[in-house]
mmCIF file of all heavy atoms in Angstrom:
data_model
loop_
_atom_site.group_PDB
_atom_site.id
_atom_site.type_symbol
_atom_site.label_atom_id
_atom_site.label_comp_id
_atom_site.label_asym_id
_atom_site.label_seq_id
_atom_site.Cartn_x
_atom_site.Cartn_y
_atom_site.Cartn_z
ATOM 1 N N THR N 1 0.844 -1.194 0.000
ATOM 2 C CA THR N 1 0.000 0.000 0.000
ATOM 3 C C THR N 1 0.880 1.246 0.000
ATOM 4 O O THR N 1 1.942 1.261 0.622
ATOM 5 C CB THR N 1 -0.923 0.009 1.241
ATOM 6 O OG1 THR N 1 -1.743 -1.164 1.222
ATOM 7 C CG2 THR N 1 -1.820 1.238 1.251
ATOM 8 N N VAL N 2 0.413 2.257 -0.694
ATOM 9 C CA VAL N 2 1.050 3.572 -0.667
ATOM 10 C C VAL N 2 0.073 4.538 -0.017
ATOM 11 O O VAL N 2 -1.116 4.537 -0.340
ATOM 12 C CB VAL N 2 1.427 4.044 -2.073
ATOM 13 C CG1 VAL N 2 1.951 5.481 -2.044
ATOM 14 C CG2 VAL N 2 2.474 3.110 -2.681
ATOM 15 N N TYR N 3 0.592 5.352 0.883
ATOM 16 C CA TYR N 3 -0.244 6.281 1.638
ATOM 17 C C TYR N 3 0.065 7.726 1.256
ATOM 18 O O TYR N 3 1.183 8.062 0.868
ATOM 19 C CB TYR N 3 -0.003 6.116 3.134
ATOM 20 C CG TYR N 3 -0.320 4.747 3.672
ATOM 21 C CD1 TYR N 3 0.689 3.840 3.973
ATOM 22 C CD2 TYR N 3 -1.637 4.353 3.871
ATOM 23 C CE1 TYR N 3 0.402 2.585 4.469
ATOM 24 C CE2 TYR N 3 -1.938 3.088 4.371
ATOM 25 C CZ TYR N 3 -0.917 2.210 4.665
ATOM 26 O OH TYR N 3 -1.208 0.966 5.150
ATOM 27 N N LEU N 4 -0.933 8.562 1.423
ATOM 28 C CA LEU N 4 -0.732 10.006 1.352
ATOM 29 C C LEU N 4 -1.314 10.582 2.639
ATOM 30 O O LEU N 4 -2.536 10.646 2.803
ATOM 31 C CB LEU N 4 -1.411 10.614 0.128
ATOM 32 C CG LEU N 4 -1.134 12.098 -0.064
ATOM 33 C CD1 LEU N 4 0.346 12.341 -0.397
ATOM 34 C CD2 LEU N 4 -2.028 12.698 -1.161
ATOM 35 N N GLN N 5 -0.434 10.954 3.544
ATOM 36 C CA GLN N 5 -0.854 11.586 4.790
ATOM 37 C C GLN N 5 -1.033 13.071 4.523
ATOM 38 O O GLN N 5 -0.087 13.737 4.093
ATOM 39 C CB GLN N 5 0.183 11.366 5.886
ATOM 40 C CG GLN N 5 -0.145 12.043 7.207
ATOM 41 C CD GLN N 5 -1.368 11.451 7.883
ATOM 42 O OE1 GLN N 5 -1.520 10.238 7.941
ATOM 43 N NE2 GLN N 5 -2.243 12.310 8.397
ATOM 44 N N MET N 6 -2.223 13.570 4.784
ATOM 45 C CA MET N 6 -2.541 14.969 4.490
ATOM 46 C C MET N 6 -2.874 15.684 5.791
ATOM 47 O O MET N 6 -3.842 15.336 6.468
ATOM 48 C CB MET N 6 -3.737 15.037 3.528
ATOM 49 C CG MET N 6 -3.551 14.212 2.262
ATOM 50 S SD MET N 6 -4.858 14.456 1.061
ATOM 51 C CE MET N 6 -6.274 13.856 1.970
ATOM 52 N N ASN N 7 -2.047 16.646 6.129
ATOM 53 C CA ASN N 7 -2.238 17.435 7.347
ATOM 54 C C ASN N 7 -2.503 18.897 6.999
ATOM 55 O O ASN N 7 -2.250 19.326 5.878
ATOM 56 C CB ASN N 7 -1.006 17.334 8.245
ATOM 57 C CG ASN N 7 -0.716 15.916 8.699
ATOM 58 O OD1 ASN N 7 -1.623 15.104 8.896
ATOM 59 N ND2 ASN N 7 0.564 15.610 8.871
ATOM 60 N N SER N 8 -3.008 19.634 7.973
ATOM 61 C CA SER N 8 -3.274 21.066 7.796
ATOM 62 C C SER N 8 -4.071 21.317 6.524
ATOM 63 O O SER N 8 -3.733 22.191 5.714
ATOM 64 C CB SER N 8 -1.945 21.847 7.757
ATOM 65 O OG SER N 8 -1.212 21.645 8.937
ATOM 66 N N LEU N 9 -5.115 20.562 6.357
ATOM 67 C CA LEU N 9 -5.903 20.647 5.128
ATOM 68 C C LEU N 9 -6.602 21.987 4.992
ATOM 69 O O LEU N 9 -7.035 22.591 5.987
ATOM 70 C CB LEU N 9 -6.918 19.507 5.073
ATOM 71 C CG LEU N 9 -6.308 18.153 4.701
ATOM 72 C CD1 LEU N 9 -7.224 17.005 5.093
ATOM 73 C CD2 LEU N 9 -6.002 18.101 3.212
ATOM 74 N N LYS N 10 -6.704 22.443 3.745
ATOM 75 C CA LYS N 10 -7.309 23.722 3.410
ATOM 76 C C LYS N 10 -8.493 23.488 2.467
ATOM 77 O O LYS N 10 -8.530 22.479 1.752
ATOM 78 C CB LYS N 10 -6.281 24.609 2.716
ATOM 79 C CG LYS N 10 -4.993 24.809 3.478
ATOM 80 C CD LYS N 10 -3.982 25.596 2.649
ATOM 81 C CE LYS N 10 -2.664 25.773 3.366
ATOM 82 N NZ LYS N 10 -1.681 26.533 2.557
ATOM 83 N N PRO N 11 -9.423 24.420 2.423
ATOM 84 C CA PRO N 11 -10.542 24.262 1.488
ATOM 85 C C PRO N 11 -10.089 24.054 0.041
ATOM 86 O O PRO N 11 -10.728 23.313 -0.708
ATOM 87 C CB PRO N 11 -11.314 25.573 1.658
ATOM 88 C CG PRO N 11 -11.041 25.983 3.063
ATOM 89 C CD PRO N 11 -9.619 25.573 3.312
ATOM 90 N N GLU N 12 -8.978 24.672 -0.330
ATOM 91 C CA GLU N 12 -8.492 24.512 -1.699
ATOM 92 C C GLU N 12 -7.900 23.134 -1.974
ATOM 93 O O GLU N 12 -7.547 22.830 -3.107
ATOM 94 C CB GLU N 12 -7.461 25.597 -2.039
ATOM 95 C CG GLU N 12 -6.333 25.751 -1.039
ATOM 96 C CD GLU N 12 -6.596 26.850 -0.020
ATOM 97 O OE1 GLU N 12 -7.751 26.969 0.477
ATOM 98 O OE2 GLU N 12 -5.635 27.596 0.288
ATOM 99 N N ASP N 13 -7.785 22.304 -0.960
ATOM 100 C CA ASP N 13 -7.378 20.911 -1.174
ATOM 101 C C ASP N 13 -8.546 20.032 -1.588
ATOM 102 O O ASP N 13 -8.358 18.857 -1.915
ATOM 103 C CB ASP N 13 -6.752 20.333 0.104
ATOM 104 C CG ASP N 13 -5.445 20.992 0.479
ATOM 105 O OD1 ASP N 13 -4.628 21.252 -0.427
ATOM 106 O OD2 ASP N 13 -5.237 21.248 1.685
ATOM 107 N N THR N 14 -9.740 20.576 -1.573
ATOM 108 C CA THR N 14 -10.924 19.820 -1.980
ATOM 109 C C THR N 14 -10.795 19.370 -3.432
ATOM 110 O O THR N 14 -10.570 20.193 -4.325
ATOM 111 C CB THR N 14 -12.189 20.672 -1.804
ATOM 112 O OG1 THR N 14 -12.380 20.948 -0.409
ATOM 113 C CG2 THR N 14 -13.414 19.945 -2.354
ATOM 114 N N ALA N 15 -10.916 18.077 -3.652
ATOM 115 C CA ALA N 15 -10.741 17.512 -4.993
ATOM 116 C C ALA N 15 -10.998 16.009 -4.928
ATOM 117 O O ALA N 15 -11.109 15.428 -3.843
ATOM 118 C CB ALA N 15 -9.331 17.767 -5.512
ATOM 119 N N VAL N 16 -11.067 15.401 -6.095
ATOM 120 C CA VAL N 16 -10.984 13.946 -6.188
ATOM 121 C C VAL N 16 -9.507 13.596 -6.304
ATOM 122 O O VAL N 16 -8.800 14.152 -7.150
ATOM 123 C CB VAL N 16 -11.766 13.398 -7.387
ATOM 124 C CG1 VAL N 16 -11.607 11.885 -7.471
ATOM 125 C CG2 VAL N 16 -13.242 13.776 -7.282
ATOM 126 N N TYR N 17 -9.073 12.695 -5.463
ATOM 127 C CA TYR N 17 -7.673 12.288 -5.432
ATOM 128 C C TYR N 17 -7.531 10.918 -6.077
ATOM 129 O O TYR N 17 -8.269 9.978 -5.749
ATOM 130 C CB TYR N 17 -7.161 12.250 -3.990
ATOM 131 C CG TYR N 17 -6.890 13.623 -3.438
ATOM 132 C CD1 TYR N 17 -7.934 14.502 -3.139
ATOM 133 C CD2 TYR N 17 -5.583 14.067 -3.223
ATOM 134 C CE1 TYR N 17 -7.693 15.780 -2.652
ATOM 135 C CE2 TYR N 17 -5.333 15.339 -2.730
ATOM 136 C CZ TYR N 17 -6.392 16.182 -2.457
ATOM 137 O OH TYR N 17 -6.135 17.442 -1.967
ATOM 138 N N TYR N 18 -6.570 10.829 -6.986
ATOM 139 C CA TYR N 18 -6.326 9.602 -7.723
ATOM 140 C C TYR N 18 -4.909 9.107 -7.441
ATOM 141 O O TYR N 18 -3.977 9.902 -7.405
ATOM 142 C CB TYR N 18 -6.434 9.836 -9.223
ATOM 143 C CG TYR N 18 -7.773 10.328 -9.699
ATOM 144 C CD1 TYR N 18 -8.051 11.693 -9.755
ATOM 145 C CD2 TYR N 18 -8.759 9.437 -10.116
ATOM 146 C CE1 TYR N 18 -9.277 12.157 -10.200
ATOM 147 C CE2 TYR N 18 -9.986 9.894 -10.566
ATOM 148 C CZ TYR N 18 -10.240 11.250 -10.604
ATOM 149 O OH TYR N 18 -11.458 11.697 -11.056
ATOM 150 N N CYS N 19 -4.763 7.800 -7.295
ATOM 151 C CA CYS N 19 -3.408 7.260 -7.322
ATOM 152 C C CYS N 19 -3.167 6.635 -8.692
ATOM 153 O O CYS N 19 -4.105 6.208 -9.375
ATOM 154 C CB CYS N 19 -3.146 6.265 -6.193
ATOM 155 S SG CYS N 19 -3.945 4.678 -6.339
ATOM 156 N N ALA N 20 -1.925 6.630 -9.081
ATOM 157 C CA ALA N 20 -1.525 6.139 -10.388
ATOM 158 C C ALA N 20 -0.183 5.447 -10.273
ATOM 159 O O ALA N 20 0.605 5.758 -9.372
ATOM 160 C CB ALA N 20 -1.454 7.292 -11.388
ATOM 161 N N ALA N 21 0.072 4.542 -11.194
ATOM 162 C CA ALA N 21 1.301 3.756 -11.151
ATOM 163 C C ALA N 21 1.942 3.695 -12.521
ATOM 164 O O ALA N 21 1.245 3.727 -13.549
ATOM 165 C CB ALA N 21 0.994 2.340 -10.654
ATOM 166 N N THR N 22 3.254 3.594 -12.532
ATOM 167 C CA THR N 22 3.972 3.375 -13.772
ATOM 168 C C THR N 22 5.211 2.542 -13.508
ATOM 169 O O THR N 22 5.924 2.776 -12.528
ATOM 170 C CB THR N 22 4.364 4.696 -14.450
ATOM 171 O OG1 THR N 22 5.072 4.394 -15.656
ATOM 172 C CG2 THR N 22 5.264 5.550 -13.565
ATOM 173 N N PRO N 23 5.500 1.580 -14.401
ATOM 174 C CA PRO N 23 6.748 0.823 -14.279
ATOM 175 C C PRO N 23 7.877 1.458 -15.100
ATOM 176 O O PRO N 23 9.000 0.962 -15.092
ATOM 177 C CB PRO N 23 6.366 -0.538 -14.863
ATOM 178 C CG PRO N 23 5.386 -0.193 -15.943
ATOM 179 C CD PRO N 23 4.643 1.016 -15.456
ATOM 180 N N ARG N 24 7.571 2.564 -15.779
ATOM 181 C CA ARG N 24 8.478 3.102 -16.803
ATOM 182 C C ARG N 24 9.626 3.920 -16.243
ATOM 183 O O ARG N 24 10.602 4.168 -16.951
ATOM 184 C CB ARG N 24 7.682 3.948 -17.794
ATOM 185 C CG ARG N 24 6.642 3.166 -18.569
ATOM 186 C CD ARG N 24 5.832 4.083 -19.466
ATOM 187 N NE ARG N 24 4.849 3.336 -20.254
ATOM 188 C CZ ARG N 24 3.943 3.904 -21.028
ATOM 189 N NH1 ARG N 24 3.900 5.231 -21.139
ATOM 190 N NH2 ARG N 24 3.090 3.162 -21.703
ATOM 191 N N LEU N 25 9.502 4.393 -15.028
ATOM 192 C CA LEU N 25 10.537 5.255 -14.486
ATOM 193 C C LEU N 25 11.605 4.422 -13.805
ATOM 194 O O LEU N 25 11.307 3.419 -13.166
ATOM 195 C CB LEU N 25 9.930 6.241 -13.491
ATOM 196 C CG LEU N 25 8.939 7.249 -14.082
ATOM 197 C CD1 LEU N 25 8.301 8.080 -12.967
ATOM 198 C CD2 LEU N 25 9.618 8.144 -15.094
ATOM 199 N N PRO N 26 12.851 4.831 -13.902
ATOM 200 C CA PRO N 26 13.913 4.080 -13.245
ATOM 201 C C PRO N 26 13.865 4.263 -11.736
ATOM 202 O O PRO N 26 13.208 5.183 -11.220
ATOM 203 C CB PRO N 26 15.185 4.695 -13.825
ATOM 204 C CG PRO N 26 14.787 6.077 -14.223
ATOM 205 C CD PRO N 26 13.357 5.989 -14.656
ATOM 206 N N ASN N 27 14.568 3.374 -11.043
ATOM 207 C CA ASN N 27 14.669 3.525 -9.592
ATOM 208 C C ASN N 27 15.171 4.917 -9.241
ATOM 209 O O ASN N 27 16.069 5.447 -9.882
ATOM 210 C CB ASN N 27 15.626 2.485 -9.022
ATOM 211 C CG ASN N 27 15.035 1.094 -9.028
ATOM 212 O OD1 ASN N 27 13.857 0.915 -9.290
ATOM 213 N ND2 ASN N 27 15.861 0.109 -8.760
ATOM 214 N N GLY N 28 14.567 5.485 -8.208
ATOM 215 C CA GLY N 28 15.041 6.770 -7.729
ATOM 216 C C GLY N 28 14.464 7.974 -8.428
ATOM 217 O O GLY N 28 14.814 9.107 -8.099
ATOM 218 N N LEU N 29 13.566 7.748 -9.371
ATOM 219 C CA LEU N 29 13.001 8.878 -10.103
ATOM 220 C C LEU N 29 11.485 8.824 -10.068
ATOM 221 O O LEU N 29 10.882 7.781 -10.304
ATOM 222 C CB LEU N 29 13.476 8.873 -11.555
ATOM 223 C CG LEU N 29 12.919 9.991 -12.454
ATOM 224 C CD1 LEU N 29 13.433 11.350 -11.994
ATOM 225 C CD2 LEU N 29 13.296 9.734 -13.911
ATOM 226 N N CYS N 30 10.861 9.933 -9.759
ATOM 227 C CA CYS N 30 9.430 10.048 -9.974
ATOM 228 C C CYS N 30 9.146 11.473 -10.432
ATOM 229 O O CYS N 30 9.856 12.403 -10.064
ATOM 230 C CB CYS N 30 8.613 9.698 -8.729
ATOM 231 S SG CYS N 30 8.726 10.859 -7.359
ATOM 232 N N VAL N 31 8.146 11.620 -11.252
ATOM 233 C CA VAL N 31 7.786 12.924 -11.816
ATOM 234 C C VAL N 31 6.284 13.115 -11.702
ATOM 235 O O VAL N 31 5.521 12.152 -11.744
ATOM 236 C CB VAL N 31 8.231 13.051 -13.284
ATOM 237 C CG1 VAL N 31 9.733 13.049 -13.386
ATOM 238 C CG2 VAL N 31 7.641 11.940 -14.136
ATOM 239 N N LEU N 32 5.869 14.349 -11.580
ATOM 240 C CA LEU N 32 4.450 14.650 -11.393
ATOM 241 C C LEU N 32 3.775 14.967 -12.715
ATOM 242 O O LEU N 32 3.064 15.963 -12.844
ATOM 243 C CB LEU N 32 4.302 15.804 -10.403
ATOM 244 C CG LEU N 32 4.761 15.493 -8.977
ATOM 245 C CD1 LEU N 32 4.726 16.746 -8.111
ATOM 246 C CD2 LEU N 32 3.906 14.398 -8.379
ATOM 247 N N SER N 33 3.982 14.093 -13.682
ATOM 248 C CA SER N 33 3.387 14.266 -15.001
ATOM 249 C C SER N 33 2.398 13.149 -15.242
ATOM 250 O O SER N 33 2.778 11.978 -15.325
ATOM 251 C CB SER N 33 4.477 14.243 -16.065
ATOM 252 O OG SER N 33 3.895 14.285 -17.350
ATOM 253 N N PRO N 34 1.102 13.462 -15.368
ATOM 254 C CA PRO N 34 0.108 12.391 -15.533
ATOM 255 C C PRO N 34 0.381 11.488 -16.733
ATOM 256 O O PRO N 34 0.064 10.298 -16.690
ATOM 257 C CB PRO N 34 -1.207 13.160 -15.714
ATOM 258 C CG PRO N 34 -0.977 14.473 -15.050
ATOM 259 C CD PRO N 34 0.465 14.789 -15.286
ATOM 260 N N SER N 35 0.980 12.029 -17.785
ATOM 261 C CA SER N 35 1.178 11.246 -19.005
ATOM 262 C C SER N 35 2.144 10.097 -18.812
ATOM 263 O O SER N 35 2.156 9.152 -19.604
ATOM 264 C CB SER N 35 1.656 12.144 -20.136
ATOM 265 O OG SER N 35 2.903 12.723 -19.812
ATOM 266 N N VAL N 36 2.949 10.148 -17.780
ATOM 267 C CA VAL N 36 3.933 9.100 -17.516
ATOM 268 C C VAL N 36 3.288 7.859 -16.898
ATOM 269 O O VAL N 36 3.787 6.754 -17.040
ATOM 270 C CB VAL N 36 5.038 9.649 -16.581
ATOM 271 C CG1 VAL N 36 5.980 8.551 -16.126
ATOM 272 C CG2 VAL N 36 5.810 10.756 -17.289
#
């Protein structure tokens, strides 16, 4: 399991939250690009 601990939440954090996975990135690298 992967967790996202969210503290000090603000109204602007209101959203649908999605988790996503990719095997394409090498060890030690992650990027915040949905297309990946």
Side-chain angles (χ1 to χ4, degrees):
T1 301
V2 174
Y3 299 103
L4 185 67
Q5 178 67 44
M6 307 187 297
N7 299 327
S8 301
L9 284 161
K10 306 175 182 180
E12 51 264 42
D13 294 318
T14 295
V16 178
Y17 284 71
Y18 300 89
C19 72
T22 180
R24 297 176 178 174
L25 295 174
N27 287 350
L29 178 66
C30 69
V31 294
L32 294 173
S33 175
S35 62
V36 172

